[in-house]
Amino acid sequence: MSRRALTLLLAGFLVLALGVAGAFQPVPYVVLSPGPTENTIGEVNKKPVIAIKGRQTYPTSGSLQLVTVAYQGGPAAKIDLLTALRGWLDPTVAVVPQETIFAPDRTAQEVEEENTVEMTNSQDSATAAALNELKIPYAMVVGVVSTEKGRPADGKLMKGDEINSVDGKETKDVTAVADAVKAHKPGESVTFNVTRGTQKIDVTVQTVAGPQAQTVVGVMMQAKYKFPFDVDINVGDVGGPSAGLMFSLGILDKLTPGELTGGKQIAGTGTITPAGEVGAIGGIAQKMVGAKDSGATIFLTPADNCAEALKSVPDGLRLVRADTLHSAVAALDALRTSKGDVPACEAG
């Protein structure tokens, strides 16, 4: 073999070796793919996804599938270049920069914990929205989640306290409590009436100046609902807020006579507020693929996701626009009875 041929052979081998080594180098991307689906009027692990106690329920049929997105990668388990390249070639998945999922100052564990909290809040909001749609009254209180170490509330307000009033004025939501504190000048005292255990007590806390010169005491609060009956939602390891709409529909279907789906296989997504407003979500393309794979023929789509969804909707999946819980129920009624309008997604 000539020296020239040997040189070319060695150079080719070196390029191949470097290419193989490079393919397995970690890259700062995350692969998003269709995740598992769950029927909110069905069962998971032989337990109802939605279990209602203390109120009459009714038979259901068909399915109301919540859809999810699975991901590979992240700060603790980076994907390699080869995995990213395969993702870029697969039309059913998305490859996105790592920071779009994990902020630079957040760990994977922190993101998972936040998703768990968001799922819990979503379930409460979904229940509240369903009860509002049915005009079933319920109570809401402001609960203390934690206090900030070193701030005046630390050691005075306790986790689990329910705030009844501030300075003698009833407070029904988190915003009202925060506004009542902000009405003070830093250094002034504010009095909270709280329920702690079985007792109602007054707790006086001195205020201090916080970020943006706002008056604070250093307390983290969360709306807590007191529903007239128990609604228990079981979805295993699923996290995040995007199943809110489907939870609300599942609760409504169980609490009302007749079958909301008409026996159809329906999937959907969207956050939900207690007032029944449906919000946009991420990963719509992957969620539609998951819906189609689960057998769904109809996909309830948040209005703000419609334009994006239309670009990659799978064949055989009908997109129905969902602006509110009420409009989603009306759309399902129209689909079931063939009477009335069914709002469709339109390009923005």
Side-chain angles (χ1 to χ4, degrees), residues 25-322:
Q25 289 298 307
V27 292
Y29 289 94
V30 174
V31 174
L32 306 179
S33 58
T37 64
E38 297 291 353
N39 180 11
T40 61
I41 51 176
E43 295 185 342
V44 58
N45 298 326
K46 298 183 178 180
K47 293 182 180 180
V49 173
I50 298 173
I52 298 173
K53 297 179 181 178
R55 184 88 176 189
Q56 183 177 0
T57 58
Y58 300 87
T60 61
S61 69
S63 67
L64 290 166
Q65 298 278 358
L66 66 85
V67 289
T68 65
V69 174
Y71 71 84
Q72 287 178 275
K78 290 183 182 293
I79 61 171
D80 55 40
L81 180 59
L82 187 60
T83 301
L85 289 172
R86 283 200 300 262
W88 276 313
L89 295 173
D90 187 341
T92 68
V93 307
V95 182
V96 299
Q98 180 178 289
E99 60 266 22
T100 62
I101 307 296
F102 302 93
D105 58 345
R106 308 273 305 289
T107 66
Q109 182 179 352
E110 287 173 335
V111 171
E112 293 290 344
E113 289 173 352
E114 181 178 320
N115 284 340
T116 300
V117 171
E118 287 181 337
M119 173 58 79
T120 301
N121 291 341
S122 175
Q123 292 170 2
D124 286 342
S125 294
T127 303
L131 268 58
N132 283 333
E133 180 70 15
L134 296 173
K135 295 180 170 53
I136 298 173
Y138 59 89
M140 187 172 71
V141 297
V142 178
V144 173
V145 177
S146 63
T147 54
E148 189 176 347
K149 192 171 183 180
R151 292 289 195 183
D154 188 27
K156 291 192 173 184
L157 292 173
M158 303 295 178
K159 180 179 179 180
D161 283 352
E162 295 177 358
I163 300 174
N164 306 310
S165 64
V166 180
D167 295 328
K169 185 177 180 179
E170 185 179 5
T171 48
K172 294 186 176 181
D173 56 44
V174 171
T175 301
V177 175
D179 287 345
V181 173
K182 291 175 187 176
H184 287 268
K185 294 179 181 179
E188 293 180 347
S189 293
V190 57
T191 300
F192 299 87
N193 181 266
V194 304
T195 299
R196 183 174 296 168
T198 58
Q199 293 184 317
K200 287 188 176 183
I201 60 173
D202 286 332
V203 179
T204 300
V205 182
Q206 189 174 21
T207 62
V208 294
Q212 290 82 48
Q214 294 179 338
T215 304
V216 300
V217 295
V219 60
M220 295 291 293
M221 301 170 289
Q222 184 179 48
K224 293 175 62 178
Y225 298 92
K226 293 190 174 182
F227 300 118
F229 48 87
D230 292 333
V231 178
D232 184 38
I233 300 178
N234 167 44
V235 287
D237 294 332
V238 176
S242 65
L245 172 62
M246 302 313 291
F247 287 145
S248 285
L249 290 170
I251 294 167
L252 277 172
D253 200 9
K254 290 198 165 195
L255 288 175
T256 52
E259 298 171 337
L260 190 60
T261 67
K264 292 181 171 64
Q265 307 301 305
I266 295 166
T269 188
T271 63
I272 197 81
T273 68
E277 298 164 337
V278 176
I281 51 80
I284 189 73
Q286 289 70 48
K287 289 178 179 178
M288 289 190 297
V289 172
K292 180 69 184 299
D293 290 347
S294 75
T297 56
I298 295 162
F299 190 77
L300 297 171
T301 311
D304 288 341
N305 286 117
C306 274
E308 181 185 0
L310 285 168
K311 296 175 183 177
S312 56
V313 57
D315 291 339
L317 191 65
R318 180 179 180 180
L319 301 185
V320 174
R321 192 182 75 244

